[in-house]
Structure formats: C-alpha cells, structure tokens
Amino acid sequence: MSAAPKRTLLGTESGIATRQRVYETDDGIVVESTDQYELSRKSVLFEDVVLITYHREIGWLYVLVLAALTLAFSGIAATAYASGAPLKVTATIAAIAAPILIALIIRLVMKVDVVSVFGRRSRAAIHFSFRKRRARELYGRLCYRTRQAQRVPEEIIQTESAE
C-alpha cells in the first residue's frame, strides 16, 4: 500500500450550500469543493502556474445582507419608539441591530485578503478574513515554490545555447 500524499490545509471557505477546502501538496494546490452533496476536486500544479495574485475585496453580497438586516431592525426599533412602546422594548430591538452594524463596519474597514493561483486550466483562491500576515506569508511561499518548480536547470540552458 502506498501512503497518501502529504497535504497541508491552507484555508477554508463556506457559503450557504458550498464548502471549499484548499490544500498545498508537494506538486501544487488542490481545491476540494462540496456543493450540497457533490464533491469536486481540482488542482493547480506549480509547473502550470501562470499568475499568482494577492488582493483585497469587500464581498458586496455580505455587506448588502448586513446593511439590510441593520436597516430592518433599526426601522422596527424606530417604529416601536414612535408608536409609544416601552423604552426597554425599543432598546432591545436596537441592541439586536448593534452587533450586525459592528460586523458591517469591521468588514468595510478590514476587507478580505485573497490569494489567487491561476493555472492554465484551473484556478484556486484562498480567502483570509482576519489573518492578514498569514495571507502575505502564503503569497510569498507560493511564489517561491512556483519559481522553484518552473526553474529551468542551467545544464539545459547551456546545451541549448551551444547548438
């Protein structure tokens, strides 16, 4: 029996019905996606990497959902206050909106760091919400590993130039 190849978990991302795990292996990056009950696996080999990017994004769907929830609870609290409801009821409803508003502000200020690896036929993206240093370190390590895998040995360069 042969042992399974060593994999290091780089990051995970979860959506409403999807789960994604990104691993680093000796040969490249492996992305395992679970969409409800369907599992798919794709890989980007270090030899086939065309581009690696590091950027920040906000995630507008997340922001819009949180803004809608904040407005809804704030509107309910304002309506309760205007209709003469007890102050405790109004404060309780407004207190529900406060953590949502805080999460919204944190997302707008910090953003999400994304390291994307583009291959010839596939792409892998690793998202970092809070660990910004780890995102930069991963970007540097992936660039280094790609350079090492794509480096042409000097003997090949010398024999081609001699011909």
Side-chain angles (χ1 to χ4, degrees):
M1 285 191 172
S2 63
K6 182 183 171 201
R7 302 188 314 174
T8 305
L9 181 66
L10 297 178
T12 61
E13 185 179 7
S14 298
I16 293 175
T18 61
R19 306 281 183 264
Q20 180 177 335
R21 294 174 152 263
V22 181
Y23 297 97
E24 179 181 4
T25 64
D26 293 336
D27 298 329
I29 304 296
V30 176
V31 180
E32 290 182 354
S33 298
T34 306
D35 187 13
Q36 294 179 355
Y37 298 107
E38 186 176 325
L39 176 69
S40 65
R41 182 177 294 150
K42 61 183 176 181
S43 62
V44 180
L45 300 176
F46 289 125
E47 299 166 350
D48 295 336
V49 170
V50 177
L51 177 70
I52 300 176
T53 63
Y54 173 78
H55 66 280
R56 291 191 174 157
E57 64 183 28
I58 293 177
W60 288 107
L61 182 63
Y62 181 83
V63 170
L64 290 175
V65 168
L66 289 184
L69 287 172
T70 302
L71 286 174
F73 283 111
S74 299
I76 293 169
T79 304
Y81 180 74
S83 67
L87 192 58
K88 288 183 179 182
V89 172
T90 305
T92 303
I93 297 171
I96 294 171
I100 300 171
L101 180 63
I102 290 169
L104 175 66
I105 292 170
I106 288 173
R107 173 58 70 96
L108 290 173
V109 170
M110 292 189 62
K111 300 183 182 172
V112 175
D113 288 14
V114 181
V115 177
S116 299
V117 181
F118 295 90
R120 292 186 183 141
R121 290 172 215 91
S122 57
R123 178 180 79 90
I126 305 111
H127 298 262
F128 296 91
S129 296
F130 297 108
R131 300 180 301 177
K132 309 298 184 182
R133 182 185 303 154
R134 186 163 188 271
R136 289 188 298 273
E137 289 172 356
L138 176 66
Y139 173 73
R141 187 171 77 236
L142 292 178
C143 288
Y144 174 76
R145 299 241 2 235
T146 301
R147 270 188 248 113
Q148 292 291 57
Q150 293 181 356
R151 180 169 290 160
V152 178
E154 292 182 26
E155 352 172 294
I156 294 175
I157 295 171
Q158 292 173 355
T159 54
E160 287 179 358
S161 62
E163 294 175 358

